[in-house]
């Protein structure tokens, strides 16, 4: 009689342990799958990238603090555009926030007071026709564009800040300035700016193609005509005066006679 009782107790204990183990395993699996989906949702809510365009969303805009910038850092080379809806732009205006777009080698800070409506920024390496002196540029050459409701906007009431990373560390930094390319004259025109910690920073009031150059690149050299004008040449008048003056030998001859 004792032997079957012990067997029954043992058989009863074994299933209990098995049930506990089987119950724990699904719980762990459920927690892991929930965490993964949450991370995926959070990533999707922060931003969306559609082909070459970064599309801002409300969650990212809401996270911006007052008087701070809505920062968009683009690491994918094929992404050149940033889209912000009118609703999102108005939210940023209420916060006194700017829009900051950063790519390798450049950063643009745009005050939202300059813009209205649905906005699309396009910041990309320049492929403008007729671009000159590209090999002399000491930064990446970028074209900056923005549109409001599909219409290009090129001038701004409040200055836009551009920052360019300088490629050549050995250059005389006091000569570094931001230039813009004038498509009509096909020439680079001086904007200005200041060198700060490896970057040249300048404020601009219009969008175009920009880059950093040394002012020495566009310094006007002396022309051959200028060089000739520096050389003193005797005039006819001075030659005549010299011929009219008697020489020492002539004076001695006259005196002797």
């Amino acid at each position: 009689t004792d032997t079957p009782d012990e067997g029954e107790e043992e058989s009863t204990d074994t299933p209990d342990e098995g049930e506990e183990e089987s119950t724990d395993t699904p719980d762990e699996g459920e927690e892991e799958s929930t965490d993964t989906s949450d991370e995926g949702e959070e990533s999707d809510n922060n931003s969306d990238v559609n082909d070459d365009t970064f599309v801002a969303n409300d969650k990212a805009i809401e996270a911006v603090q007052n008087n701070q910038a809505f920062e968009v850092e683009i690491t994918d080379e094929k992404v050149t555009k940033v889209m912000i809806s009118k609703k999102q732009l108005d939210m940023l205006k209420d916060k006194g926030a700017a829009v900051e777009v950063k790519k390798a080698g450049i950063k643009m800070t745009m005050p939202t007071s300059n813009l209205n409506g649905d906005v699309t920024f396009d910041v990309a390496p320049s492929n403008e026709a007729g671009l000159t002196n590209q090999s002399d540029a000491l930064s990446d050459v970028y074209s900056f564009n923005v549109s409001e409701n599909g219409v290009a906007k090129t001038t701004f009431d409040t200055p836009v800040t551009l920052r360019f990373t300088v490629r050549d560390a050995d250059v005389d930094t006091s000569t570094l300035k931001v230039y813009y390319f004038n498509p009509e004259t096909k020439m680079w025109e001086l904007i200005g700016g200041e060198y700060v910690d490896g970057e040249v920073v300048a404020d601009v009031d219009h969008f175009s193609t920009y880059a950093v150059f040394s002012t020495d690149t566009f310094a006007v050299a002396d022309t051959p005509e200028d060089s000739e004008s520096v050389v003193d040449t005797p005039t006819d008048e001075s030659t005549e005066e010299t011929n009219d003056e008697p020489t020492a030998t002539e004076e001695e001859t006259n005196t002797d006679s």
Side-chain angles (χ1 to χ4, degrees):
T1 304
D2 294 337
T3 303
D5 293 339
E6 291 177 0
E8 290 177 2
E9 291 177 1
E10 290 178 0
S11 61
T12 304
D13 293 338
T14 303
D16 291 341
E17 293 177 0
E19 289 176 2
E20 292 177 0
E21 291 177 1
S22 62
T23 303
D24 292 339
T25 303
D27 291 340
E28 292 177 359
E30 290 176 2
E31 291 177 1
E32 290 178 359
S33 62
T34 302
D35 292 341
T36 303
S37 61
D38 289 344
E39 290 175 1
E41 289 177 3
E42 182 176 354
S43 176
D44 292 340
N45 287 334
N46 284 337
S47 65
D48 295 314
V49 175
N50 183 8
D51 194 18
D52 65 347
T53 304
F54 175 100
V55 182
N57 59 42
D58 293 348
K59 182 176 181 180
I61 300 296
E62 290 168 357
V64 177
Q65 301 298 313
N66 290 338
N67 301 315
Q68 299 298 314
F70 171 53
E71 300 178 355
V72 179
E73 183 170 3
I74 300 173
T75 57
D76 189 341
E77 292 182 358
K78 73 176 183 180
V79 177
T80 63
K81 298 182 176 71
V82 176
M83 291 182 61
I84 300 175
S85 69
K86 180 182 184 303
K87 172 187 173 183
Q88 294 165 349
L89 183 66
D90 290 342
M91 291 169 64
L92 292 173
K93 286 183 176 182
D94 291 341
K95 295 170 181 279
V99 175
E100 186 173 278
V101 178
K102 182 178 181 180
K103 298 191 69 173
I106 64 96
K107 182 164 65 174
M108 175 217 71
T109 304
M110 168 71 76
T112 51
S113 58
N114 286 325
L115 304 171
N116 290 289
D118 296 327
V119 173
T120 300
F121 293 94
D122 192 347
V123 180
S126 180
N127 58 1
E128 185 170 346
L131 205 60
T132 61
N133 297 91
Q134 292 188 68
S135 60
D136 296 320
L138 298 175
S139 71
D140 292 331
V141 181
Y142 264 83
S143 291
F144 297 83
N145 297 280
V146 65
S147 63
E148 297 174 331
N149 299 320
V151 179
K153 183 178 179 69
T154 57
T155 60
F156 313 105
D157 294 331
T158 305
V160 181
T161 301
L162 302 181
R163 294 176 178 268
F164 291 85
T165 301
V166 178
R167 290 197 296 240
D168 190 349
D170 296 330
V171 71
D172 180 2
T173 57
S174 66
T175 68
L176 299 182
K177 301 296 178 183
V178 172
Y179 287 74
Y180 92 94
F181 186 72
N182 187 325
E184 296 181 359
T185 63
K186 303 298 182 184
M187 297 179 64
W188 288 95
E189 298 186 11
L190 177 65
I191 293 295
E194 182 180 0
Y195 178 85
V196 181
D197 297 332
E199 297 179 325
V200 177
V201 184
D203 289 336
V204 301
D205 60 6
H206 70 285
F207 268 173
S208 179
T209 296
Y210 291 90
V212 171
F213 291 90
S214 168
T215 52
D216 295 339
T217 302
F218 304 106
V220 178
D222 289 337
T223 61
E225 290 79 11
D226 292 334
S227 299
E228 290 176 3
S229 65
V230 176
V231 178
D232 292 333
T233 55
T235 63
D236 293 340
E237 183 178 358
S238 63
T239 303
E240 291 174 359
E241 290 179 356
T242 302
N243 292 337
D244 293 339
E245 292 179 356
T247 63
T249 303
E250 290 176 346
E251 290 180 352
E252 290 177 1
T253 303
N254 295 335
T255 303
D256 293 340
S257 62

